[in-house]
Amino acid sequence: MKPSISSKLEQLSRRLIDLEGMLGSEEVTRNMDQYRRLTKEHSDLTPVVERFREYQQVESDVAEAETMLADPEMKAYAEAEIRGGKEKLARLELDLQKLLLPRDPNDDRNIFLEVRAGTGGDESALFAGDLFRMYMRYAERQRWQVEIISQSQGEVGGYKEVIARIIGQGAYSKLKFESGGHRVQRVPDTEAQGRIHTSACTVAVMPEADEVGDVVLNPAEIRIDTFRASGAGGQHINKTDSAVRITHLPTGIVVECQDGRSQHKNKAQAMSVLVARIKDTQTRAQQQAEAATRKSLVGSGDRSERIRTYNFPQGRVTDHRINLTLYKIAAIMDGDIDELTGALMAEHQAEQLAALSEAA
């Protein structure tokens, strides 16, 4: 193990002992905010330190076995112990490196998922509908909750744009690499000649921001307009100005919400999406700055990047960032995307491990 990593682990071990002392004192619950912070830090550090202590114990066992090599009667046993111990040390070291990787603070958050039709007209809107269904089926498999925030349906089906809030443990961690350009190649139902058409959609996955503290909004920089909702919704929706449009003047970000029956609910939902978009814009700017200094295959934050192609005639889906092609398009479009999301998460972790190794 590299001395820099060992030193970091020793430091974390000492910090855990300090935390145990603080959490054991009678005064700790007097400040509940501080108590919660200390408890969370303790629970985050415990698995790292426990694994490090296991590593130290195996290291000690190997050293003890090495002292037996001089004894002819114990040599075979000692060699087996050393060999097994060194294999275990290698596994534990990799586990420790993974535990030391910087954790994305947004990983456990709920998300806003946006799917927008791009080039390709009606076929693009139909594909946006297919993509949205894919994510909804995936959410069902994960037992996540889904709320439709806003939708603009296409002329012949699908969506020009649809926004949903997905509520579930680890939603952002599993879907954060879905942001980007998704391209489809297939023969549309409206195509009489049987020619393959190419169209595209854009997907955005944004972590839901905290109500307090994540983004500070100046009321003077926000314009709120109300208007009569369009589309289906019965008599009530056509009689009242329940739809809400919020414009953030400094960034030009505009959010409309008209699916709710009340103006109050639409305003609250639109504000949540606005805050998430502003935070997402800030995060992507940071990611692009980081990507400029090191090569990043995933998570560059570039929304215009074409990340995946769905080729229906050949039955394949290709993720261009990691050169992964799967010949199971029907299953993927039905929400079976674990292999894709898992591969992207593994690639990101490999990048982080490489960066940790270079820095150590």
Side-chain angles (χ1 to χ4, degrees), residues 123 127 130-131 133-135 137 141 182-187 196-197 308-319 324-340:
E123 170 62 10
F127 179 52
D130 293 340
L131 275 181
R133 180 185 177 276
M134 177 184 83
Y135 292 122
R137 295 285 290 120
R141 291 165 184 257
H182 294 242
R183 185 177 68 168
V184 64
Q185 294 172 326
R186 65 183 175 188
V187 179
I196 294 171
H197 285 227
R308 195 174 295 150
T309 295
Y310 303 75
N311 187 302
F312 279 77
Q314 295 178 17
R316 66 173 169 83
V317 175
T318 299
D319 195 291
L324 173 68
T325 296
L326 300 174
Y327 288 88
K328 46 187 276 187
I329 197 164
I332 287 170
M333 298 312 294
D334 196 43
D336 182 9
I337 61 172
D338 278 320
E339 198 170 346
L340 282 166

Side-chain angles (χ1 to χ4, degrees), residues 274-301:
L274 176 69
V275 169
R277 280 190 184 168
I278 292 169
K279 181 177 169 60
D280 181 59
T281 301
Q282 295 168 349
T283 302
R284 283 192 288 124
Q286 183 183 343
Q287 287 173 337
Q288 284 168 342
E290 288 171 1
T293 59
R294 67 177 178 85
K295 187 177 184 293
S296 182
L297 293 175
V298 290
S300 68

Side-chain angles (χ1 to χ4, degrees), residues 69-241:
L69 289 171
D71 185 342
E73 292 182 7
M74 299 295 291
K75 188 176 180 183
Y77 169 79
E79 285 174 344
E81 285 292 298
I82 292 166
R83 189 164 52 251
K86 286 185 174 177
E87 286 172 4
K88 192 171 183 182
L89 282 174
R91 287 196 302 273
L92 287 168
E93 185 172 353
L94 183 59
D95 287 347
L96 283 164
Q97 285 181 1
K98 288 177 181 177
L99 287 167
L100 284 176
L101 292 178
R103 193 170 175 277
D104 189 331
N106 295 318
D107 273 353
D108 292 331
R109 296 199 182 198
N110 302 328
I111 61 169
F112 288 106
L113 170 75
E114 297 183 359
V115 182
R116 282 195 186 84
T119 54
D122 290 342
E123 170 62 10
S124 179
L126 289 169
F127 179 52
D130 293 340
L131 275 181
F132 187 67
R133 180 185 177 276
M134 177 184 83
Y135 292 122
M136 294 307 97
R137 295 285 290 120
Y138 181 68
E140 282 176 28
R141 291 165 184 257
Q142 302 294 319
R143 292 184 167 83
W144 293 339
Q145 231 181 304
V146 177
E147 293 175 3
I148 304 292
I149 300 294
S150 174
Q151 56 184 313
S152 172
Q153 295 184 343
E155 305 287 333
V156 297
Y159 297 102
K160 292 176 184 174
E161 176 187 282
V162 58
I163 304 172
R165 179 174 178 242
I166 298 179
I167 306 139
Q169 183 69 26
Y172 185 69
S173 70
K174 291 186 176 176
L175 290 177
K176 63 184 174 183
F177 298 122
E178 292 302 299
S179 291
H182 294 242
R183 185 177 68 168
V184 64
Q185 294 172 326
R186 65 183 175 188
V187 179
D189 293 337
T190 53
E191 171 56 63
Q193 304 296 321
R195 290 174 299 191
I196 294 171
H197 285 227
T198 298
S199 56
C201 293
T202 302
V203 172
V205 176
M206 302 172 294
E208 185 176 35
D210 285 343
E211 289 183 18
V212 183
D214 267 9
V215 176
V216 179
L217 292 177
N218 181 350
E221 296 177 342
I222 293 173
R223 188 177 71 237
I224 300 175
D225 301 306
T226 58
F227 58 99
R228 196 158 295 179
S230 60
Q235 292 180 342
H236 168 83
I237 207 165
N238 293 322
K239 284 184 178 177
T240 62
D241 289 346

